[in-house]
Structure formats: structure tokens, C-alpha cells
Amino acid sequence: MLSEKDCRERYLKSGNPPVIIDAHSHLWLWQHTVVNGKPIQQLPDGRSSFLGTEVQMMNPWMHDNHNSAEKFLANMNYAQVGGAVVTQEFIDGLQNDYLEYVSRRWQDRFFVYGMCEFRKPGFLIEAQVLLRRGFKGIKLPAARLIDDSGRIRIDTEEFMSMYHLMEENGMILGIELADGAVQCEEVEKIISECPRLKIVIGHFCMVTRPDWMEQVRLARHENVYIDMGGITWLFNDEYYPYPSAITAIREAANEVGMDRLLWGSDYPRTITAITYRQSYDWILKSEELSDLEKRQLLGLNAQKVYGFSSLPVLPYIPNMSE
């Protein structure tokens, strides 16, 4: 297997270095919310009280618990990641105000999703407000709409009105689905009624769970893509450099095409186990993927979906230990 340095040199010798875009990341300044009646609250040294369990939510050096854009940019610059898509999740709380600031302050580096309170009626008005505020995408954590207390369908009249609004205004729908095919029929309805609505399914369709390919097959539609956010978490038991993840990428690509898949890190949660650079260099090191496939996964596909156009050229800075 090629070393990290050998991979980097091979890319540089082959011409332009790869465009690297992180298609799935998170930012927040304050994490304080409730999900399914259970609190999520910040604790010192990067930890959180998470649904009744104490977890290391981010690296311990992030001791102020501010998962800020400045810290992320430092990681991106070091790892030569030109741009990033910042998504949202109920477990982080609504981050629209901060992400609007991030998008305006660093518009060449970040694409940010807005999010509505989908757990109760009235979110269509919120979506209209997000559009007026300049958000170009809306995130729907659909998997969180199914719990022990019941289920909120994502193809109701209010949801469909929101999708039509998004389609008419060129917005992107980011969505994470419950395991397997549970919500696939609802997504098929969305695709049928809004064929021009660009949809990105997150968390690599929960690849390690049963029937994950049912979600992958949704990307047979030309307006549907799949991001790999959290793939290193899903294969954490195997650990770096995740050979089974490469196998899964190939399986998904055989079904829908490599041009449908976007690398994402799920920063900052995943970098408690590995470094930020390691969250993608296992793809660079793989001998089972071609040069073009690596470039597609790491940035070209995301550039096509999200429209990054002014990414910086980031030099490689050697480590002191090299």
C-alpha cells in the first residue's frame, strides 16, 4: 500500500493536485438541545452529555466546546481540503444563525444547510424564511422523525409544498434516512413530484446496516446523490484504513456510478478516533480505485453538486516529525 507521502507525490507529478471537498461536516458554537425527550448538553474538554450517556463529542483540545469555523478551517488548510459542506442535525440544535454568518464570512469555502423544526407543523414558513436569508439548501434529518412515540412521514402536504418551493428556487435537499428501506417509498414520491430537486442522501445510506442498498438505488435517479459522511464511524470496528469501506464504495458505484458518491468526514465527531487528514487519505492510499475515481469521490462530484468555484490552492506543509 502506498504511503501518504507517496500518494501525495504521485498526484502532484500527474498534474494538478486533486480538488478535495468535504461533503458532510458540522459546526456549532453552542450545543444544547433535546431529542426524543433526552437532553444533549456540552461538558468540559470536548465532551457532551448525549441522550443519557457521556461521550467525547469532539477532540479534547477543543476544551471550550466551540466547534467553530476557524478551528475547522485550520484543519482544512492543514489537510488541503479546499471546501466543505456544513450540514445540520437535531442532536446539535438549530444552527441557522451561526451558519448564516459562516456562509457570508467564508462564502468561498463553505456551503451551509439551513434546518427547520420538522418535528411539529409550521415548518414551511421556516423554509420560506431560510430561502429569504440566502440558504441554498435545507437539511432534513428524516431518520429522527421515527421513534418509539410514532412516525412523522416526509411526504405529507406540508413537506411536499416545501420540496416544490426548494425545486423552484434551485435549493438542495440534504436528507438522512432511517435504516434500510423504511422511508424509501416516501423519497420516491418526492423524486417523482420534484424531478429537478437535487437530493443528497447522507451517511452513505447507513452502509453497515441491513438493506442499505435500497437507499443507494435511489441514486439511480439523475437528481440524487449520496454523501459518505460518517463512513469511518460506521466502519470504526474495522478501523483505519477501512478496507471494507472501499469494498462498499465499489458496490455502490457498481449500482449507481462513481459520479453519484461524495466523500464526507462527519467532522468533528469522527476525528476523535482519527486525524482529519486520515478521514480521507484511506481513499488516496487505496490501490483498488483509479486516479479518476479518487478525484471524483474526493471533490469533483461535490463540486458538481454544490458549485464550489473559487477554492484556494493549499500547499502541503510538512509535519515537524517528518
Side-chain angles (χ1 to χ4, degrees):
M1 181 175 291
L2 295 173
S3 68
E4 179 181 328
K5 187 175 181 181
D6 288 341
C7 288
R8 195 177 305 112
E9 289 179 351
R10 175 178 288 189
Y11 271 98
L12 292 173
K13 288 178 181 178
S14 68
N16 294 326
V19 173
I20 303 180
I21 298 170
D22 188 341
H24 190 116
S25 64
H26 298 266
L27 293 176
W28 63 78
L29 289 185
W30 186 253
Q31 188 183 51
H32 184 88
T33 188
V34 175
V35 174
N36 297 336
K38 297 181 179 180
I40 300 171
Q41 297 177 322
Q42 296 182 168
L43 298 173
D45 301 329
R47 302 191 306 275
S48 290
S49 175
F50 181 73
L51 306 178
T53 302
E54 185 172 318
V55 299
Q56 192 70 46
M57 183 65 67
M58 60 187 85
N59 273 330
W61 52 260
M62 298 167 81
H63 54 84
D64 60 2
N65 285 67
H66 288 175
N67 175 31
S68 67
E70 289 88 347
K71 291 174 183 175
F72 190 22
L73 282 166
N75 273 287
M76 290 168 62
N77 292 342
Y78 167 73
Q80 297 172 279
V81 175
V85 177
V86 184
T87 187
Q88 295 201 52
E89 231 274 26
F90 289 142
I91 64 173
D92 300 329
L94 289 171
Q95 300 294 330
N96 294 326
D97 291 343
Y98 181 55
L99 294 189
E100 181 181 1
Y101 162 76
V102 168
S103 179
R104 296 182 186 279
R105 172 66 176 80
W106 294 282
Q107 56 185 307
D108 59 329
R109 302 295 297 273
F110 294 113
F111 177 102
V112 305
Y113 278 104
M115 188 171 71
C116 308
E117 179 47 90
F118 295 111
R119 293 167 291 189
K120 57 185 180 181
F123 56 82
L124 178 58
I125 294 176
E126 296 179 52
Q128 293 167 338
V129 171
L130 290 174
L131 174 62
R132 290 198 295 270
R133 291 173 67 175
F135 284 92
K136 298 178 181 179
I138 294 178
K139 173 61 181 295
L140 172 56
R144 299 278 181 194
L145 301 181
I146 300 176
D147 58 35
D148 294 340
S149 64
R151 171 176 180 173
I152 299 174
R153 292 186 63 89
I154 59 173
D155 60 353
T156 64
E157 182 178 351
E158 186 172 23
F159 273 111
M160 297 308 298
S161 295
M162 183 185 75
Y163 305 140
H164 283 292
L165 173 74
M166 296 174 67
E167 181 184 37
E168 292 166 4
N169 289 278
M171 300 180 81
I172 300 174
L173 174 66
I175 189 168
E176 268 111 42
L177 302 174
D179 295 355
V182 174
Q183 294 171 306
C184 286
E185 181 182 355
E186 295 161 63
V187 177
E188 287 282 6
K189 180 180 176 182
I190 299 167
I191 296 168
S192 175
E193 291 202 19
C194 302
R196 294 180 290 106
L197 174 64
K198 198 176 290 183
I199 300 172
V200 181
I201 301 171
H203 288 166
F204 206 51
C205 304
M206 297 304 290
V207 56
T208 54
R209 311 293 167 78
D211 299 323
W212 70 285
M213 287 297 293
E214 294 299 315
Q215 294 186 31
V216 170
R217 294 186 182 99
L218 294 169
R220 291 173 173 173
H221 297 278
E222 63 179 5
N223 59 322
V224 181
Y225 300 84
I226 297 165
D227 83 49
M228 296 160 56
I231 192 170
T232 60
W233 151 60
L234 290 163
F235 286 99
N236 184 65
D237 289 346
E238 181 181 86
Y239 203 61
Y240 184 90
Y242 313 107
S244 295
I246 295 292
T247 301
I249 289 171
R250 178 63 65 195
E251 185 176 356
N254 289 341
E255 190 72 28
V256 299
M258 197 68 75
D259 63 332
R260 296 283 147 180
L261 311 180
L262 292 65
W263 166 72
S265 69
D266 209 9
Y267 175 99
R269 286 181 265 270
T270 50
I271 65 164
T272 57
I274 55 176
T275 68
Y276 186 51
R277 187 187 294 276
Q278 284 178 311
S279 69
Y280 75 80
D281 74 356
W282 55 276
I283 294 175
L284 280 180
K285 291 179 179 180
S286 172
E287 296 180 344
E288 299 177 39
L289 298 169
S290 70
D291 179 85
L292 175 59
E293 289 171 334
K294 292 173 183 178
R295 289 175 181 267
Q296 288 177 305
L297 290 170
L298 292 176
L300 294 182
N301 295 341
Q303 199 166 31
K304 176 177 67 176
V305 173
Y306 291 104
F308 288 93
S309 59
S310 302
L311 296 176
V313 177
L314 299 168
Y316 174 69
I317 307 298
N319 294 323
M320 185 66 183
S321 57
E322 291 185 39

